[in-house]
Amino acid sequence: MNKLNIVDMFCGGGGESTGLIEAAHDYNFDINMSAINHWERAIETHSQNYPFVEHRCENVQHIEPNTLAASKSCALMWASPGCQHFSTARGGKPRSEDMRSPAREGVRFAEELRPKRIIIENVPEFQTWGPLDLEGRVIKECKGKTFNVFIAGLRSLNYILDWRVLCAADYGAPTSRRRLFIQCVRKDCGKKVIWPQPTNVKGGSLILPDWRSASEIIDWTIPSKLISERKKPLAPATLRRIEYGIREFWGEAAVPFIARLYGQSNAESLEKPLSTISCSGAHHMLITPFICGIGQTSAKHRNRRLSEPLSTICTKQEHCLVQPLLIQYYGNGHTVPLSEPIPTLTTKDRYGLIGTDEYGIELGFRMLQPNELAAATGFPKDYKFTGTKVEVVKQIGNAVPPNFAKAMFSQILSEMTA
C-alpha cells in the first residue's frame, strides 16, 4: 500500500482528518499524518480516533514545520485556521488581529514544507480579510487587501491557486454549511486544481438526488418537555422565532421544523439540510407536532406519529426541538380554529395556542443533542469525542464536515491513480 505524508492543521473535532483518511483508504493509500491543534481537548479526541497519527498540541506559530513526522515529501497540507474573528456570526463584535494571525502561518508552512498540494478552509468572509481600525472593526475601504496579500504570498511560492465557496449539502451531508476552500498545486508537479463534482443538488434533478434532510439526524426517541412546564420561561426572541416558524411551516398540517436561534433567518424546514452548526451548542430548536388521544379520561394520553394526524419530535444543544402538542384543554382562554393564524406566543410560563374548541396547543422543547449535531456534520456514528458536553459541541461546531475533505481528496487521488 502506498503511503502519503499529510500535515493536517485541523480544527474542532477533526472532521477533515476523517474525510482524508476515508478517501485514502478507498484508493488503497496509507497515511502518515501529523495533526496540529492548540486545544488539548481537540487533540485528545483526535488521538482517541486516530492513535496512529502524530499529534502536536501547540500553536502553529511555535512549530518548526520540518520537525513534523510528515514533513518530508509532503503530499498534502490542510489548514483550517480559526475562523471566529473572520466570521459575521460574531454579530459585529470587534475582531482581534492576534486571533487572525494563525492564518498567516499557512504561507510559512508552505514555504518550508513545499507540499505538492495545499487546501485551506475557512468561512466565506475570509475573502474580506483586511486591516482593522483601532476599535477592532474592519476598515471598509480595505476589505480583502490582506486576503490578496495572503494569496500573493502563496503564488510567489510557485503555486497555482483557485478558490470556491462550497456547500456541504451538495456533497451528501445533512447540513447546509458553506465554507471557502482555497486549493493550491505546486507548478512543478504538472497537475492542476480540480474540484469535486456534487453528489446532491437542492430540489433534486434527473441526475442527482435532493439534499439530505435534517430529519435524518433527529433522535425521535428523546422526549421534549412542555414549554409551559419550564421553570425558566423562554426568551421573547426565542418565542418570536417559534411563532415565525409555526406560521411558515405548520398552517393546518402542523409540519415539524427547525427554529434557528441566530442570524437573520428564523426557521428551517426539516426537509432541508441543517444550517451551519456553531460551537456554542444552543442555536437550533426542533419543533414538531404531537397528538394526544381524544376523549380519554386517563392522564396518560396516546401519542401518534407523523404518519397519523400529528407526531412528536425532539432536539437538543445548539438546535432546539420544539414540538406543538394537541392536548385536552381545561382552561378558560379564548379558542381559535386551526384554520386561522396561531396567536403570538407569550413569555409566561403557561400559555395556550388554541386550535379548536376541543383542544389547546402547547409546545414541547428540547435542545439537539451532541450525537445529533455530530450526525448532521457528517461524523461517523462510532466517532469518539472527549470532554464535557459543552466541549464536545464546540468541537463539532468548529469541525470541517468530513464529506468536504473526502470529496476533494477523492478527486485528487482519482487523478493520481488514473
Side-chain angles (χ1 to χ4, degrees):
M1 181 179 287
N2 296 321
K3 180 169 287 190
L4 299 173
N5 290 329
I6 295 178
V7 172
D8 183 10
M9 291 179 270
F10 74 96
C11 61
E16 66 268 40
S17 302
T18 300
L20 294 174
I21 292 172
E22 288 181 357
H25 288 170
D26 287 347
Y27 283 86
N28 202 33
F29 282 93
D30 196 5
I31 281 183
N32 176 36
M33 177 180 286
S34 295
I36 305 169
N37 195 291
H38 68 284
W39 189 24
E40 181 180 356
R41 197 66 64 245
I43 289 292
E44 287 179 358
T45 289
H46 204 280
S47 300
Q48 283 278 325
N49 294 279
Y50 305 114
F52 56 87
V53 168
E54 178 198 26
H55 292 93
R56 299 284 287 270
C57 187
E58 297 180 67
N59 289 321
V60 291
Q61 298 97 315
H62 304 154
I63 294 178
E64 289 299 327
N66 57 13
T67 65
L68 297 172
S71 61
K72 295 182 179 179
S73 301
C74 183
L76 174 69
M77 182 185 83
W78 183 293
S80 291
C83 62
Q84 291 90 339
H85 285 262
F86 294 102
S87 175
T88 56
R90 289 178 55 83
K93 294 180 182 179
R95 269 71 169 173
S96 167
E97 198 57 58
D98 288 339
M99 296 297 291
R100 290 175 155 201
S101 60
R104 303 176 190 272
E105 293 299 309
V107 177
R108 180 173 72 90
F109 269 67
E111 184 174 14
E112 296 196 30
L113 295 177
R114 305 294 294 158
K116 294 180 179 179
R117 290 183 180 269
I118 301 171
I119 298 177
I120 300 170
E121 175 270 343
N122 215 288
V123 293
E125 294 82 11
F126 187 69
Q127 298 171 89
T128 67
W129 186 10
L132 306 175
D133 60 24
L134 296 178
E135 296 181 351
R137 312 287 180 182
V138 178
I139 301 173
K140 293 182 179 180
E141 297 78 11
C142 299
K143 279 187 176 181
K145 286 192 174 182
T146 308
F147 175 78
N148 292 335
V149 171
F150 176 75
I151 293 297
L154 291 170
R155 282 193 171 125
S156 70
L157 299 176
N158 202 37
Y159 283 97
I160 300 170
L161 274 74
D162 191 20
W163 57 91
R164 294 182 183 180
V165 174
L166 303 179
C167 177
D170 289 337
Y171 298 92
T175 173
S176 57
R177 187 169 192 164
R178 297 173 70 252
R179 280 298 183 266
L180 169 71
F181 290 91
I182 304 170
Q183 284 204 64
C184 315
V185 179
R186 215 173 64 201
K187 290 182 179 179
D188 60 341
C189 293
K191 303 295 183 180
K192 62 181 181 179
V193 173
I194 50 178
W195 295 98
Q197 295 297 315
T199 58
N200 299 69
V201 64
K202 185 176 182 180
S205 70
L206 295 176
I207 302 175
L208 299 178
D210 196 0
W211 282 355
R212 294 174 60 194
S213 67
S215 61
E216 295 181 34
I217 59 91
I218 300 297
D219 183 351
W220 302 97
T221 66
I222 303 174
S224 293
K225 185 176 182 179
L226 289 179
I227 290 178
S228 63
E229 295 179 356
R230 290 173 57 88
K231 293 182 179 179
K232 182 179 179 181
L234 294 175
T238 299
L239 294 174
R240 285 195 297 270
R241 287 183 168 95
I242 294 173
E243 178 195 2
Y244 177 89
I246 289 174
R247 291 200 311 264
E248 181 174 2
F249 293 123
W250 284 347
E252 297 181 8
V255 177
F257 66 90
I258 294 285
R260 196 167 69 193
L261 304 183
Y262 70 96
Q264 300 298 319
S265 179
N266 294 316
E268 304 168 7
S269 169
L270 273 176
E271 298 305 314
K272 297 180 180 179
L274 198 66
S275 62
T276 299
I277 300 169
S278 72
C279 59
S280 69
H283 286 160
H284 296 78
M285 297 181 296
L286 174 57
I287 317 292
T288 166
F290 174 104
I291 296 185
C292 291
I294 299 174
Q296 296 185 15
T297 56
S298 170
K300 248 181 146 179
H301 298 295
R302 173 177 170 271
N303 299 337
R304 303 181 185 180
R305 298 184 181 277
L306 279 179
S307 57
E308 300 178 39
L310 293 177
S311 70
T312 307
I313 304 178
C314 314
T315 69
K316 184 186 176 182
Q317 218 44 33
E318 287 189 338
H319 305 67
C320 323
L321 172 57
V322 185
Q323 53 191 135
L325 292 84
L326 291 182
I327 62 174
Q328 290 283 354
Y329 185 72
Y330 300 107
N332 297 318
H334 175 65
T335 61
V336 178
L338 284 178
S339 59
E340 297 181 10
I342 296 177
T344 301
L345 302 178
T346 68
T347 59
K348 295 181 181 180
D349 279 339
R350 179 72 179 179
Y351 57 85
L353 296 180
I354 311 306
T356 69
D357 291 342
E358 299 176 342
Y359 297 96
I361 300 177
E362 290 198 22
L363 297 175
F365 176 99
R366 77 168 176 85
M367 300 300 296
L368 290 185
Q369 297 292 327
N371 66 303
E372 294 170 311
L373 301 176
T377 302
F379 280 101
K381 289 184 178 180
D382 60 351
Y383 201 81
K384 301 174 184 177
F385 290 93
T386 64
T388 65
K389 179 181 288 188
V390 172
E391 290 172 330
V392 170
V393 172
K394 183 177 180 180
Q395 293 174 64
I396 296 170
N398 280 333
V400 176
N403 65 304
F404 269 143
K406 185 174 183 178
M408 279 192 282
F409 201 39
S410 293
Q411 190 72 45
I412 292 170
L413 295 177
S414 175
E415 182 189 60
M416 289 175 58
T417 56

